[in-house]
Amino acid sequence: MHRKIEIIVNNSELAAGTRGASLGPGAIMTAARKANNPYFGNYVLHPLPDYNGFLDRENETEFAKNLVGFKLVFEAVAETTRDTLNKGSFPLILAGDHGSAAGTIAGIKAAYPEKRLGVVWIDAHGDLHSPYTTPSGNIHGMPLSLSLGNDNLGYQRNTPSQQTTAIWEDLKLKYTNDVKLKPSDLVFIGVRDTEYEENQLIAENNITNHTVESVRKEGASVIVEQVLKQLDSCEMIYVSFDVDSMDPEITSFGTGTPVGNGIFPEEAEEILTLLAQNPKTVCIEFVEVNPCLDNKINTMAETAFSLLESVTTALNSSKSSKV
């Protein structure tokens, strides 16, 4: 039985530090239409509610900006992901900022609470901060801390408000009543811009990072082989792809937090398609395209759409998960 793909569209940029990521999913659709490609007419689309109006309100939650609205985004992503999986479909997610991933992980675990989840995080950043350690307060730097249930309190720099901690604690356990991810089941690819607090958490938990240099030296296929070997005990895999994992000089600067010396689009394509072909992979997400920042018109979105097409081809040629 082949994969039945459904596309979840999350336009939220509440968790981002710069404006414009909410336009990312639409920019990817524009790239398809510019190429006269009917891709988005071929699949069921699930557009999520727009909560970006919270950006027009005064922030209520220090050290976790827009957390009140983000909770609604988290719930919408989680419940739609859960329901899509429960129908036996494969959710492909196009999201604005990377905060979306916390909801996605919660939704996968809500659908399969007894199954062990592996996460492949392809990104320039570790996204391991919490309200207690964040230097910016931007929640797109926190989804993995939320999923791991680890606030890294040994390196606390902030004292969040009671409202912040109450919502944060609720989201940690929401839909699962337990942490959603083990550090041993998290694998980074391309992470190269982290803060001191994140580095300590990575070191203390032995979180694997396949660097850009290792991808270039060993080849994408070897890296994926190593990733799948590490996650062999996991019964399902979620792949989270942030476009800032790629080299902005090669693609464009059309993303909120570009970092130099990233992976090449060709390497990203090979990594993503190989992971898509794996029957354990149950969900893939694309995030952080920001056309407002694109120095090459809509090139980042066009690159993302090309990768999306390759992933879709791989999914359509592979067998469905046994989860």
Side-chain angles (χ1 to χ4, degrees):
M1 182 177 177
H2 289 46
R3 314 288 184 108
K4 180 186 176 185
I5 296 169
E6 298 188 27
I7 298 175
I8 299 171
V9 182
N10 172 24
N11 289 325
S12 175
E13 60 175 75
L14 290 179
T18 56
R19 304 282 63 85
S22 61
L23 303 174
I28 296 173
M29 293 180 182
T30 296
R33 292 163 185 156
K34 179 183 175 183
N36 294 315
N37 189 322
Y39 176 91
F40 288 99
N42 296 331
Y43 300 100
V44 174
L45 299 183
H46 299 282
L48 300 187
D50 186 345
Y51 295 112
N52 288 313
F54 279 89
L55 293 167
D56 304 319
R57 307 182 190 182
E58 184 176 353
N59 178 54
E60 302 176 9
T61 47
E62 191 177 10
F63 306 121
K65 296 175 184 175
N66 308 307
L67 183 59
V68 174
F70 175 77
K71 179 177 184 291
L72 300 175
V73 175
F74 177 99
E75 291 167 349
V77 175
E79 291 169 14
T80 308
T81 300
R82 177 199 63 199
D83 295 347
T84 302
L85 288 167
N86 283 340
K87 288 190 296 182
S89 295
F90 186 101
L92 265 178
I93 303 176
L94 305 182
D97 67 62
H98 215 163
S100 174
T104 305
I105 290 170
I108 296 170
K109 286 295 292 181
Y112 304 120
E114 304 303 320
K115 304 295 183 181
R116 184 170 168 182
L117 174 65
V119 171
V120 184
W121 198 262
I122 309 169
D123 196 333
H125 306 90
D127 295 343
L128 286 164
H129 278 295
S130 74
Y132 301 92
T133 67
T134 175
S136 69
N138 297 325
I139 299 173
H140 71 168
M142 308 183 195
L144 284 176
S145 170
L146 194 58
S147 301
L148 291 164
N150 188 336
D151 293 327
N152 203 12
L153 294 178
Y155 302 93
Q156 180 175 353
R157 67 160 86 184
N158 308 318
T159 303
S161 68
Q162 184 175 359
Q163 182 184 19
T164 301
T165 56
I167 298 173
W168 185 256
E169 291 300 317
D170 176 58
L171 293 181
K172 276 188 196 174
L173 302 179
K174 196 168 184 67
Y175 302 111
T176 58
N177 295 318
D178 197 0
V179 297
K180 300 165 178 69
L181 178 65
K182 298 178 180 179
S184 60
D185 297 335
L186 168 63
V187 184
F188 288 142
I189 298 178
V191 170
R192 57 195 183 279
D193 186 10
T194 51
E195 278 84 38
Y196 171 77
E197 296 86 355
E198 293 178 297
N199 292 335
Q200 301 310 305
L201 193 151
I202 290 168
E204 291 174 6
N205 290 277
N206 297 310
I207 296 173
T208 302
N209 179 27
H210 296 282
T211 64
V212 174
E213 291 75 18
S214 65
V215 172
R216 195 119 325 130
K217 180 180 178 181
E218 300 182 49
S221 62
V222 172
I223 295 301
V224 172
E225 184 179 344
Q226 293 173 3
V227 168
L228 295 177
K229 182 177 181 181
Q230 178 176 336
L231 301 181
D232 185 60
S233 297
C234 296
E235 295 147 295
M236 52 188 181
I237 292 173
Y238 158 62
V239 180
S240 199
F241 179 73
D242 189 323
V243 296
D244 72 21
S245 62
M246 297 184 289
D247 194 313
E249 298 290 348
I250 304 297
T251 53
S252 81
F253 284 78
T255 186
T257 48
V259 181
N261 301 312
I263 62 177
F264 297 150
E266 296 80 7
E267 293 166 333
E269 180 180 24
E270 186 172 3
I271 291 167
L272 287 168
T273 53
L274 287 171
L275 290 169
Q277 289 167 2
N278 190 289
K280 288 185 178 181
T281 299
V282 297
C283 179
I284 298 176
E285 185 161 8
F286 288 74
V287 304
E288 296 282 359
V289 171
N290 188 332
C292 293
L293 303 176
D294 202 313
N295 60 317
K296 300 178 183 177
I297 308 179
N298 202 32
T299 296
M300 184 64 86
E302 291 173 355
T303 302
F305 177 61
S306 176
L307 295 172
L308 180 64
E309 279 194 293
S310 296
V311 163
T312 303
T313 298
L315 289 171
N316 284 332
S317 66
S318 65
K319 299 256 179 165
S320 62
S321 171
K322 296 178 181 178
V323 173

